[in-house]
Amino acid sequence: MLKKCEVCGLILDSELIQDRCPKCQADSSKFRSLSREEAEKITRSHLTNSLLTDLAAVAEHQVRLAEKGIADQLDPGCIQTFDLALRQAVLLRQMIRAEIAIHTGKEKW
């Protein structure tokens, strides 16, 4: 059963809760059991959150590669390709951040 600390928002399996919240040190009485619906939403979102995090790392890598390619200045076609890759990676990174913010606001993070 999942429980949530009402002080800091930490969500843990009830078996992991001892005398105090490991994050904020609130008394264990500050944890409340999550409804089945709340717990399912959180459990289902773990995969997507992990995928978004991995994709953000890929976008960061793409930004670094594109910046190196642009700096190399080999020829206009290469620069155009790297410029597009850079713009798309920056856009993707912003979309990921927005989605994570939505998940956080809906307590799915």
Side-chain angles (χ1 to χ4, degrees), residues 13-74:
D13 191 286
S14 59
E15 297 169 5
L16 298 174
I17 301 169
Q18 296 182 1
D19 295 338
R20 301 206 161 274
C21 173
K23 182 177 179 203
C24 72
Q25 301 303 307
D27 186 76
S28 62
S29 66
K30 298 294 183 179
F31 278 86
R32 73 166 176 87
S33 295
L34 296 178
S35 70
R36 182 184 296 192
E37 182 181 280
E38 290 172 311
E40 184 178 312
K41 179 171 59 172
I42 290 165
T43 301
R44 286 192 59 230
S45 67
H46 284 176
L47 172 62
T48 299
N49 293 339
S50 178
L51 293 170
L52 286 169
T53 302
D54 290 349
L55 190 57
V58 170
E60 289 298 328
H61 183 67
Q62 183 172 329
V63 165
R64 288 190 303 275
L65 290 174
E67 289 172 341
K68 285 180 182 179
I70 291 168
D72 185 46
Q73 296 285 313
L74 180 62

Side-chain angles (χ1 to χ4, degrees), residues 22 73 78 88:
Q73 296 285 313
C78 288
Q88 292 298 315

Side-chain angles (χ1 to χ4, degrees), residues 88-103:
Q88 292 298 315
V90 168
L91 174 61
L92 179 60
R93 188 173 58 189
Q94 291 305 109
M95 291 173 68
I96 291 166
R97 288 177 180 160
E99 192 60 30
I100 288 171
I102 291 168
H103 283 211

